[in-house]
Amino acid sequence: MPSTARGSISSLKRLGYMVLLDNAALMDGRFTWHERWRDQRIEVWTFGLLDRGSAHRISREETEHLFYHGYNNYMEHAFPEDELRPVSCKPLTRDRSNPARPELNDPLGNYSLTLIDSLSTLAILASSSEGNTKENEALRRFQDGIMALVEQYGDGSEGPKGQGRRAHGFDLDSKVQIFETVIRGVGGLLSAHLFAVGELPIKGYHPKDDIQGRGRGNSDRIEWSRNFSYDGQLLRLAHDLGKRLLPAFSTSTGLPYPRVNLRYGVPFYMNSPLNYDAEDGQCRTTQESSTEETENCSAGAGSLILELTVLSRLTGDPQFEALAKRAFWSVWERRSPLGLVGSGIDSETGLWTGPYTGLGAGIDSFFEYAVKSYVLLSGSSLPNATKNSNLFDFSGTEVPPALTDAQHDAESFLQVWHDAHAAIKRHLYRGDMYVHPHYIQADLFTGAARAYWVDSLSAFFPGLLTLTGNLEEAIETHLLFTALWTRYSALPERWSTSSGNVEGGLGWWGGRPEFIESTYHLYRATEDPWYLHVGEMALRDIKRRCWTKCGWSGLQDVRTGEMNDRMESFFLGETAKYLFLLFDPSHPLNKLDASFVFSTEGHPLIIPRSPSSPITNKKRSFPGARTNDQPKDTFKADVCPRSQAILPFSLSNTAARGDLYHAAHLARLHHMPTPRRADSPIVEFSGDHPSISISDVRSPSNFTYFPWTLPSYLVPYNATCSKMTARPTFDITFPAPANTILGPGFLQRVGNGILINSMGGLRLGMIQDVALPKAGSGDGDLYRVQAVNNVGLGKDEKIFLPKDVVASVVNPLDPNFTRIRDAEMLDIIVDVTDNQDSSSQEIEVNGTSVLKEGGRSDITIEAADGSSDAASHVKVAFNSLFQHVTSMLRDQPPLPDLQHLRHYIPAITPTGAGAAPIPDVQDALGPDITGAPQGNLLWHTVFVTDQNCDTKLPISIPKEYQIIVIKRGGCSFSRKLENIPSFPPTSNSLQLVIVVSFEEHENEDGLLQGFLIRPLLDPTQFTRSGLPRHHPIPMVMVGGGEQVYNVFRKATGIGIKRRYSVHAQGVLISNLIII
């Protein structure tokens, strides 16, 4: 048959082809087709849809062939070594001659790593929909793999049967990384055990029906063949391996050492208490002691909970779970004040070893395990705590403190995710104004941007967002990775969003699964066929570029296609597994209604619902945690959103998104040429291998509409993408005076920003990306200073400009840098004392208690956290201008013998004909940069009354008191002022009325918490007798209710500080504060 033809539907049906057409083709009666998968006699129609079930089956079968091509060659050419060299057809082992190769020696422990990593994939393939359960080849291979492993390493027991051909358990002289060994070795063994005993499903396999009595440790014995019965060998081996990792946890910080020798422990960490020599009173040293790194990472220390908790629950040995949880919380407790988690952290000191943070290498799975620990622990009917008395014995050193109930509670792990995600969105997330949403690397302590690249490991994040119900963020993030895969036919290890090229020469792809993992989760959540075509693209590109006669090789450079002669264990353990599950929607795991999780190595794990261990059959006690009979409404309910209905006249919501081209534009797909030749080593091999077709070796065309496997019927006809968001940026430069050299004190970093001591030579990088507060008026976003003289700033950092510095340089007519006084908001500064001295006296006027202060002492400053925007209108939640400055001092030691406290209370002025101007007095000074107070406050006599609605105040009050404080409510603002008698204005008479608003009033105003509405003084001010007031009384309103009201009751001094802001081109600069 020709590649394209026209004909009738009936004629093709007679040939045995499946025909599916869309309505337009059916109405026309004619159609166009192209041939694919000739051996299955199924056609894909250009104007129609291939039956989804058939498409699933074809891709699923191709994925099975992909897995077995790698697995069979590993067993033939590399087993029992760790990994396979697929180009040279030889095993890959540890490099004992060069210990400084962590990428090789950390994961390879000389214990048949690829087989262990592949067992759970074999179990999953055993549930293939087409599998014959009586002659299930994948199930047989799964059982054969377990038998081969037991033959090499024994059955995990202490006796003779515990000795294998290679070792007695994992008694091996191999220094391995804790993290890699836990997630690959321990996790792989546990997952395979759970499949073997039926706790995880395999279609047609019912081991509990085949129990043939009791095996070792009183465990169930399941007959697999005449020569082998399974009785928990893998679990015992996992326990053996886990115990060999325990010496790494012998630290005072709770953070494990990064590496351990499976036979000798940690002799290379000289500060470990395990190396303490009681006779000599010092640590034993080895040749490696002085050079061994103690730096771990957040992912390496904090991503052990899933595997070690399951190990504890299955064996009844609680120490693994306790140590893993302790390590997790040790990482989280060291997060920065911004809520960010760093990458490198020293196991002995607990200090961060670097200032950067991001989502990828060194950090990634910490967030993943926060979520999945919640899922795993929530599904267990067992309590979630362990007993500290059974912890690993650290050679007589102090036993680590017991974890709290909250640290055992599943809900606490979910809260970690919520807090971490909020910090990520605040400081690492860049929205659509940066072409397309993505994440950056930032400073751990300031949040300032430090690097602009994404790595292939961070492709896991869309999948995690999907699991937590953040579907829109997941979809938009995944689009960029899909565009990058379309461009490179793989994901480079690191790619720069700023240059559009591979970052720093890191262009390899080692077969990583993270992108395919996220694709799988997104398809499960949305059932959008677009993700099936993404999976098809990944499958075809892997087959085209990575195939060798002896397996599948990683790529040393995604740009050239150079191979690296290594098939990492996770390629079979994760990449092939997620591809298979993507194309098998009816797989038992995809239908399992239980709290199971995929580990970061892709191993399914679950805590069995049975309260007894499959091997020990002992009751285990994990006291102190939530049980299933507790009411559900006491916990948060995070609900995944339902998949959206398909848009009208569309078959895919993702393909119809208006920002699809934005991701393509950021990935620079529109700059890529179109390859025109087939180039793959499998061309010569495709003749006698039906799983390989010309579509596998055809080089893709790099379309801006992606993936390249997307059929034409999913491409909207004559569609238009949404407009890209503009990102206004510009620089403001202040020239330096002639013959001036900027000194070291020109810029001074303070607690939450930078203090500028000179305007000469200053360059401010501006960006308009700060959203206006929801309350109030105004259109558009606010400007933010994102850099000062090339020093990047975080989103929460401020620029502090002394008023005298600004006044001497800034031109008031300059439209790019205009200083404006806020006409609506100001700050009330209050000095209070908790210990009243003899000079204070309480009097009563008209039934109202009044506190009169007769003297003042030297004042001190109360440093307060919080932030204040100079935004006029209504925003009281952002504290005053002075709180900006005092928050800079939060790390200063407290001042001794505090007698007074200084409060900074935001206030709003009234509007209307009756509003009087604020007294034209000198502004009070805020504290200096050292925290010392500056100047005294102007007013010292304060009269505090109630609502002031029914009774006129005595005539002496406005004459003798400079400040009157009134509660809001009971009558109008105008009525409150009417009840104040007329008075001759003097410096000692009434200067200002302060109205205190309470929460119930703010709720009546319909405002968000932390906002105030401007009081309306509609009529001009009158006295109680109805005469116009010759000297209108200034008034302001503050929030805070009873707490603020009591502050005024204790006031020893009050002043005001007007707010000033700086505008660029008429738009407020949100983080520039004039002090």
Side-chain angles (χ1 to χ4, degrees):
M1 278 184 145
S3 59
T4 60
R6 291 201 174 258
S8 65
I9 297 176
S10 57
S11 62
L12 284 172
K13 284 185 175 178
R14 284 195 297 271
L15 294 174
Y17 289 89
M18 181 186 302
V19 178
L20 290 132
L21 301 173
D22 65 1
N23 293 335
L26 289 173
M27 291 174 64
D28 183 65
R30 312 289 289 179
F31 47 86
T32 304
W33 63 278
H34 65 85
E35 185 179 38
R36 187 182 293 180
W37 306 304
R38 174 189 290 271
D39 54 317
Q40 283 88 12
R41 299 181 71 81
I42 295 177
E43 303 301 322
V44 179
W45 299 91
T46 304
F47 298 102
L49 281 172
L50 177 67
D51 174 70
R52 188 174 295 181
S54 300
H56 283 148
R57 180 173 60 83
I58 294 165
S59 298
R60 184 169 60 246
E61 289 177 353
E62 292 190 25
T63 305
E64 285 188 77
H65 295 150
L66 176 145
F67 172 82
Y68 285 126
H69 178 64
Y71 178 78
N72 292 341
N73 276 285
Y74 163 75
M75 295 301 290
E76 179 180 350
H77 297 290
F79 181 76
E81 302 300 337
D82 283 317
E83 288 182 347
L84 168 68
R85 294 185 181 271
V87 176
S88 53
C89 301
K90 297 178 180 179
L92 179 65
T93 60
R94 297 173 55 81
D95 188 352
R96 296 187 181 276
S97 62
N98 183 13
R101 292 188 64 186
E103 80 284 354
L104 187 67
N105 292 330
D106 276 354
L108 304 189
N110 199 28
Y111 53 77
S112 309
L113 179 62
T114 297
L115 175 58
I116 293 176
D117 236 358
S118 300
L119 287 176
S120 62
T121 308
L122 283 166
I124 287 172
L125 294 181
S127 291
S128 174
S129 300
E130 287 71 44
N132 184 336
T133 57
K134 292 184 179 180
E135 299 177 2
N136 191 328
E137 180 66 16
L139 179 60
R140 183 188 63 78
R141 289 172 183 257
F142 170 67
Q143 295 172 340
D144 288 347
I146 292 176
M147 288 187 276
L149 197 68
V150 171
E151 182 181 2
Q152 295 294 325
Y153 304 99
D155 68 356
S157 65
E158 298 292 337
K161 289 191 175 182
Q163 178 65 48
R165 290 187 175 184
R166 247 186 167 202
H168 194 291
F170 295 103
D171 182 22
L172 301 162
D173 184 11
S174 299
K175 184 171 72 173
V176 296
Q177 189 188 70
I178 292 291
F179 172 67
E180 295 289 355
T181 307
V182 167
I183 66 171
R184 300 198 202 194
V186 176
L189 292 167
L190 290 174
S191 184
H193 166 77
L194 291 167
F195 277 111
V197 297
E199 296 291 353
L200 289 171
I202 298 176
K203 186 181 295 185
Y205 173 65
H206 307 288
K208 295 179 181 179
D209 297 337
D210 299 326
I211 294 175
Q212 303 294 321
R214 294 291 181 183
R216 291 184 177 272
N218 200 31
S219 59
D220 296 333
R221 182 166 55 86
I222 305 168
E223 196 74 33
W224 280 356
S225 70
R226 293 182 179 178
N227 300 321
F228 188 87
S229 297
Y230 185 78
D231 62 358
Q233 291 93 328
L234 295 185
L235 181 54
R236 292 194 293 273
L237 286 172
H239 196 198
D240 174 83
L241 182 57
K243 288 187 290 186
R244 297 177 184 279
L245 305 179
L246 290 177
F249 291 87
S250 58
T251 67
S252 61
T253 61
L255 302 165
Y257 286 116
R259 294 173 182 86
V260 67
N261 186 291
L262 294 179
R263 176 174 292 167
Y264 299 113
V266 288
F268 31 79
Y269 294 120
M270 60 184 303
N271 293 328
S272 169
L274 297 181
N275 296 324
Y276 184 80
D277 191 323
E279 294 182 1
D280 296 337
Q282 61 184 7
C283 292
R284 297 185 294 268
T285 59
T286 67
Q287 186 175 1
E288 297 177 277
S289 296
S290 60
T291 60
E292 188 65 29
E293 292 183 351
T294 58
E295 179 185 355
N296 209 322
C297 62
S298 297
S303 305
L304 310 173
I305 293 181
L306 301 183
E307 294 84 357
L308 296 188
T309 293
V310 172
L311 181 60
S312 281
R313 299 299 176 91
L314 294 179
T315 62
D317 187 345
Q319 57 189 331
F320 304 104
E321 179 178 357
L323 292 171
K325 286 179 176 177
R326 180 171 175 251
F328 176 90
W329 291 114
S330 295
V331 172
W332 181 243
E333 288 164 359
R334 288 168 171 82
R335 65 192 182 277
S336 76
L338 301 180
L340 296 171
V341 173
S343 176
I345 188 169
D346 192 279
S347 299
E348 292 183 342
T349 66
L351 300 177
W352 299 110
T353 58
Y356 288 6
T357 183
L359 291 180
I363 306 175
D364 49 358
S365 56
F366 178 83
F367 307 123
E368 179 185 0
Y369 272 43
V371 173
K372 293 181 176 179
S373 295
Y374 163 73
V375 175
L376 183 75
L377 295 172
S378 296
S380 173
S381 60
L382 298 174
N384 286 335
T386 57
K387 291 183 178 179
N388 215 34
S389 59
N390 292 327
L391 286 179
F392 183 66
D393 179 13
F394 295 146
S395 295
T397 59
E398 183 179 355
V399 176
L403 297 172
T404 65
D405 290 344
Q407 290 173 320
H408 285 298
D409 187 12
E411 295 291 326
S412 298
F413 293 97
L414 182 62
Q415 188 59 50
V416 169
W417 159 251
H418 286 311
D419 294 344
H421 183 223
I424 290 168
K425 285 296 293 285
R426 175 66 181 161
H427 301 287
L428 306 184
Y429 177 80
R430 305 183 99 190
D432 56 5
M433 68 172 53
Y434 293 88
V435 183
H436 185 79
H438 59 279
Y439 304 89
I440 62 170
Q441 282 63 50
D443 188 281
L444 178 62
F445 298 99
T446 69
R450 290 292 178 255
Y452 304 95
W453 45 260
V454 296
D455 61 1
S456 60
L457 281 170
S458 62
F460 88 100
F461 201 58
L464 185 61
L465 290 169
T466 303
L467 292 176
T468 56
N470 298 284
L471 204 52
E472 176 59 27
E473 187 183 351
I475 292 172
E476 65 183 17
T477 305
H478 184 265
L479 283 178
L480 177 59
F481 289 109
T482 307
L484 287 175
W485 187 289
T486 304
R487 174 176 173 179
Y488 292 107
S489 296
L491 280 185
E493 183 69 9
R494 189 179 290 180
W495 180 82
S496 171
T497 58
S498 58
S499 69
N501 297 312
V502 171
E503 172 81 7
L506 306 180
W508 63 80
W509 181 72
R512 290 198 187 278
E514 287 77 13
F515 171 65
I516 299 169
E517 174 189 359
S518 289
T519 304
Y520 160 72
H521 287 303
L522 274 165
Y523 178 68
R524 297 299 306 158
T526 66
E527 296 185 337
D528 191 325
W530 190 84
Y531 296 102
L532 293 176
H533 295 292
V534 173
E536 181 191 1
M537 172 180 69
L539 176 62
R540 304 222 169 279
D541 284 336
I542 291 170
K543 294 176 72 173
R544 176 172 58 85
R545 306 190 76 194
C546 302
W547 180 90
T548 72
K549 290 185 178 180
C550 292
W552 304 97
S553 176
L555 300 175
Q556 189 62 32
D557 194 322
V558 297
R559 297 164 293 187
T560 65
E562 176 189 358
M563 295 182 175
N564 64 8
D565 198 18
R566 181 178 182 183
M567 186 177 75
E568 298 224 36
S569 69
F570 54 67
F571 180 79
L572 300 181
E574 292 186 82
T575 307
K577 179 183 297 166
Y578 283 121
L579 273 174
F580 181 83
L581 289 172
L582 170 67
F583 298 129
D584 190 0
S586 63
H587 193 280
L589 275 184
N590 287 333
K591 302 294 184 181
L592 183 59
D593 183 15
S595 296
F596 86 98
V597 294
F598 288 99
S599 73
T600 195
E601 189 69 11
H603 295 303
L605 295 172
I606 192 172
I607 297 176
R609 295 181 180 180
S610 170
S612 58
S613 166
I615 24 181
T616 64
N617 227 21
K618 297 177 182 178
K619 297 286 184 179
R620 298 183 305 284
S621 175
F622 298 89
R626 176 173 66 91
T627 57
N628 284 348
D629 56 0
Q630 287 181 268
K632 293 183 178 180
D633 57 1
T634 60
F635 302 97
K636 290 184 179 179
D638 286 34
V639 180
C640 292
R642 292 183 178 180
S643 56
Q644 297 179 349
I646 295 178
L647 295 174
F649 307 105
S650 170
L651 299 170
S652 165
N653 286 333
T654 306
R657 286 177 65 95
D659 62 346
L660 198 71
Y661 175 73
H662 301 180
H665 185 83
L666 183 58
R668 280 69 164 184
L669 281 182
H670 56 297
H671 291 164
M672 299 304 297
T674 301
R676 298 187 178 280
R677 63 188 181 90
D679 184 14
S680 175
I682 63 173
V683 173
E684 62 186 64
F685 198 67
S686 60
D688 55 349
H689 285 73
S691 68
I692 298 174
S693 66
I694 192 63
S695 62
D696 295 317
V697 300
R698 186 189 305 116
S699 295
S701 295
N702 289 295
F703 298 109
T704 55
Y705 214 90
F706 55 90
W708 65 264
T709 49
L710 197 68
S712 58
Y713 60 77
L714 287 182
V715 180
Y717 172 72
N718 199 25
T720 303
C721 72
S722 60
K723 184 179 179 180
M724 289 188 181
T725 305
R727 179 166 54 94
T729 60
F730 63 92
D731 288 349
I732 301 175
T733 303
F734 300 89
N739 303 320
T740 299
I741 299 177
L742 298 180
F746 165 59
L747 299 179
Q748 184 177 354
R749 180 165 288 283
V750 291
N752 65 333
I754 292 179
L755 176 68
I756 297 175
N757 294 312
S758 173
M759 298 288 287
L762 179 67
R763 185 172 70 257
L764 302 178
M766 312 297 298
I767 183 171
Q768 192 173 9
D769 69 347
V770 180
L772 276 173
K774 296 299 182 183
S777 59
D779 297 322
D781 291 338
L782 308 179
Y783 279 111
R784 173 175 64 88
V785 180
Q786 64 174 342
V788 180
N789 289 42
N790 294 327
V791 177
L793 295 180
K795 288 185 177 179
D796 291 338
E797 288 193 287
K798 312 295 180 185
I799 296 296
F800 300 99
L801 279 173
K803 184 170 62 174
D804 54 346
V805 172
V806 177
S808 62
V809 176
V810 175
N811 182 349
L813 301 179
D814 185 353
N816 290 320
F817 200 82
T818 309
R819 176 174 173 259
I820 298 176
R821 189 171 81 176
D822 196 323
E824 299 176 1
M825 297 292 294
L826 71 156
D827 294 289
I828 305 297
I829 306 177
V830 185
D831 280 345
V832 302
T833 180
D834 288 327
N835 299 318
Q836 302 299 329
D837 58 27
S838 58
S839 63
S840 66
Q841 50 186 306
E842 189 169 291
I843 63 176
E844 186 173 308
V845 178
N846 290 342
T848 301
S849 177
V850 180
L851 186 66
K852 178 180 179 180
E853 294 295 336
R856 301 191 66 248
S857 59
D858 292 339
I859 61 173
T860 51
I861 308 266
E862 176 189 26
D865 287 329
S867 63
S868 166
D869 265 330
S872 52
H873 62 262
V874 310
K875 186 130 192 202
V876 217
F878 295 152
N879 295 326
S880 76
L881 156 68
F882 298 99
Q883 286 179 300
H884 283 308
V885 182
T886 54
S887 64
M888 296 187 292
L889 311 173
R890 63 181 181 269
D891 297 327
Q892 300 292 331
L895 299 175
D897 299 325
L898 288 179
Q899 295 179 357
H900 291 76
L901 301 176
R902 179 161 284 188
H903 293 271
Y904 308 96
I905 304 172
I908 191 166
T909 60
T911 184
I918 299 300
D920 187 15
V921 296
Q922 185 176 3
D923 283 357
L925 296 176
D928 65 19
I929 198 61
T930 66
Q934 298 189 99
N936 296 328
L937 300 184
L938 187 61
W939 302 314
H940 307 298
T941 54
V942 183
F943 180 86
V944 181
T945 183
D946 206 341
Q947 294 178 341
N948 200 39
C949 290
D950 302 325
T951 307
K952 183 179 178 180
L953 291 177
I955 193 170
S956 61
I957 298 300
K959 292 180 180 180
E960 299 177 2
Y961 293 91
Q962 296 163 313
I963 301 294
I964 295 178
V965 179
I966 302 173
K967 288 184 178 182
R968 183 182 176 185
C971 60
S972 67
F973 297 108
S974 297
R975 182 67 173 176
K976 295 177 187 294
L977 296 181
E978 287 179 8
N979 284 330
I980 299 176
S982 298
F983 59 95
T986 67
S987 60
N988 293 322
S989 64
L990 180 61
Q991 304 292 317
L992 183 66
V993 171
I994 301 174
V995 177
V996 180
S997 179
F998 289 73
E999 184 177 356
E1000 58 267 24
H1001 305 127
E1002 296 161 18
N1003 293 336
E1004 292 172 2
D1005 294 335
L1007 296 174
L1008 297 176
Q1009 184 178 4
F1011 290 87
L1012 284 176
I1013 194 169
R1014 295 187 74 182
L1016 177 61
L1017 297 177
D1018 195 14
T1020 57
Q1021 290 190 27
F1022 289 88
T1023 64
R1024 183 71 179 268
S1025 59
L1027 298 175
R1029 192 181 291 276
H1030 294 294
H1031 302 288
I1033 302 173
M1035 188 196 91
V1036 296
M1037 186 168 71
V1038 299
E1042 195 68 34
Q1043 182 179 2
V1044 170
Y1045 186 75
N1046 288 330
V1047 168
F1048 286 113
R1049 288 175 58 85
K1050 300 178 182 180
T1052 62
I1054 291 181
I1056 62 171
K1057 184 72 171 74
R1058 294 170 179 84
R1059 295 187 177 190
Y1060 293 87
S1061 59
V1062 178
H1063 292 239
Q1065 301 175 0
V1067 178
L1068 175 70
I1069 303 175
S1070 63
N1071 64 334
L1072 197 154
I1073 310 300
I1074 296 178
I1075 60 175

